[in-house]
């Protein structure tokens, strides 16, 4: 089955999952009208007004009111400016 990832170690499985691009969005924090979401290795600050986002759709993720960065602090600071 394709959805089963196998590896000799936990680290090997984690790397395979990251490389596959199969992630579940993780709500990290809500700040005013934004949700900070971690998806893969990227953090997003998403306006709640956008509703549901498809994280595999680059067009949706490139909207100007979506902030993104490689770390939580980076996104949080930009959101609070």
């Amino acid at each position: 089955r394709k959805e089963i990832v196998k590896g000799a170690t936990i680290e090997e499985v984690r790397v395979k999952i990251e490389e596959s691009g199969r992630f579940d969005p993780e709500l990290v924090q809500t700040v005013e009208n934004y949700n900070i979401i971690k998806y893969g290795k990227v953090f997003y600050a998403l306006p709640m007004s956008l509703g549901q986002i498809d994280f595999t759709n680059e067009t949706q993720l490139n909207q100007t009111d979506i902030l993104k960065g490689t770390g939580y602090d980076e996104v949080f600071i930009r959101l609070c400016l």
Side-chain angles (χ1 to χ4, degrees), residues 17-47:
I17 291 171
E18 286 180 0
E19 290 173 349
S20 75
R22 296 183 299 189
F23 304 105
D24 289 328
E26 174 187 347
L27 176 62
V28 177
Q29 183 177 2
T30 298
V31 179
E32 296 183 18
N33 296 327
Y34 280 79
N35 287 324
I36 298 177
I37 305 288
K38 183 178 184 214
Y39 183 74
K41 295 182 178 181
V42 180
F43 288 83
Y44 297 90
L46 304 169

Side-chain angles (χ1 to χ4, degrees), residues 42-59:
V42 180
F43 288 83
Y44 297 90
L46 304 169
M48 291 180 191
S49 61
L50 291 180
Q52 191 171 3
I53 295 290
D54 176 359
F55 285 91
T56 64
N57 184 325
E58 284 296 318
T59 301

